[in-house]
Amino acid sequence: MIYLDNAATTKTAPQAVEAMLPYFYEQYGNPSAVYSLGSSAKKAVNQAKRTLAGAIGAKPEEIYFTSGGTEADNWALKAAAGACAGKGRHIITTKIEHHAVLHTCEYLEKSGYEITYLEVDRDGLVDIEKLRSAIRPDTILISVMFANNEIGTIEPIGEIGALARENGILFHTDAVQAFGQIHIDVEALHIDMLSASGHKMNGPKGIGFLYIRSGIKLGAFIHGGAQERNRRAGTENVPGIVGLEAAAVTAMKRMEEKAAKESRLRDYLIERIEKEIPYCRLNGHRTKRLPGNVNFSFLYAEGESILIMMDMKGICVSSGSACTSGALDPSHVLLALGLKQEEASGSLRLTLSEENSREELDYTVESLKEIISRLREMSPLYEEFLKSCGREEKED
Ligand code: PLP
């Protein structure tokens, strides 16, 4: 099996699993309990906060554990909207956010908020001038993702943060794909809220955190006990928290080396696909891009079919379409780049890890070549296209 879907989830790091195990068997106390079994669990939670805060240049009391990126995004947007409703009800985000942000925005729209969904350019980048002109006196929040999960484009977060700060607007970034991969400093980048998730950076699933800059008065997200400073009730997922911490420690230590390895593999894969498969397009920015992300559109081949045929060859990848109510919808991200419906539906995302080898990538390219040409052979549109090319060549 060749795993090329690391943007969907990653293999849990052995360091994370090892760190977690004692919290199932021995240190299983409830962190709220007063006896020492409880207080040692509490200590582990607090230590994880210190570590994670250190990883993004924050303070430990600014880290709030959640069940993952989706919850962190929901909390940031809904609570910021609620807290600032007195000042205004306008929020700016982008058309390429993850559904955790987009669907939360749709929910807020129904509750009387107005949302501007910024366009991005052909590479998926936010234009700072467009953002500047979208700001209004009643704008309360800007939410722009750090790096896109489909096309890997890394946004100009520092500039966006500075603009938000200049205008007294809260700035949230969904850093689920960036945390552990790219260096993040919430101070330097003027970030007020940041969402992160464990399972995207070799930590366990079902755990993440929301960074909330101190001084920002956001309401509680889950009501109940006094955990997470009364803002997110529920007994802490101690093994998850400890596993997330261990994964973050490993990621921070090896960030440069890992990124260098992955981007070498990424560039090798991009180069081979561009050279060897005709009528394809690289989606996302060529250089401002996550180290492991490769995303291509192949004309006259359908993404879901490529995916299934790749699976039959033992390769796990992901397509640019999502199944909603039984129909395959092309990705909203690819459509926002200006791709035509048929270009977007012939897309494939391959997200690498440093564990992938060149041999695996060679096998992937050979399989892809064979699959794309088989699918194109079956496509009447491709036949027509070839005929039209032949005619044009003769006419020339
Ligand atoms: N935001 C982005 C950019 C993501 O890629 C994902 C996961 O795919 C999420 C949010 C949701 O994170 P989680 O799976 O931890 O809820």
Side-chain angles (χ1 to χ4, degrees), residues 27-80:
Q27 306 285 346
Y28 49 81
N30 187 323
S32 300
V34 288
Y35 41 77
S36 51
L37 193 66
S39 57
S40 64
K42 182 90 195 156
K43 262 192 211 143
V45 170
N46 289 339
Q47 179 53 44
K49 282 195 186 184
R50 282 194 286 277
T51 306
L52 294 165
I56 58 167
K59 300 196 265 300
E61 62 273 21
E62 295 174 319
I63 304 293
Y64 295 85
F65 290 113
T66 64
S67 63
T70 302
E71 185 188 324
D73 286 343
N74 268 263
W75 185 2
L77 269 66
K78 289 176 187 167

Side-chain angles (χ1 to χ4, degrees), residues 7-8 67-71 73 98 100 145 147-149 174 176-177 197-200 207:
S67 63
T70 302
E71 185 188 324
D73 286 343
H98 189 270
M145 69 201 320
N148 185 272
N149 48 303
D174 173 342
V176 166
Q177 294 289 338
S197 176
H199 73 108
K200 307 287 184 177
I207 186 74

Side-chain angles (χ1 to χ4, degrees), residues 97 147 363:
E97 297 300 311
Y363 174 71

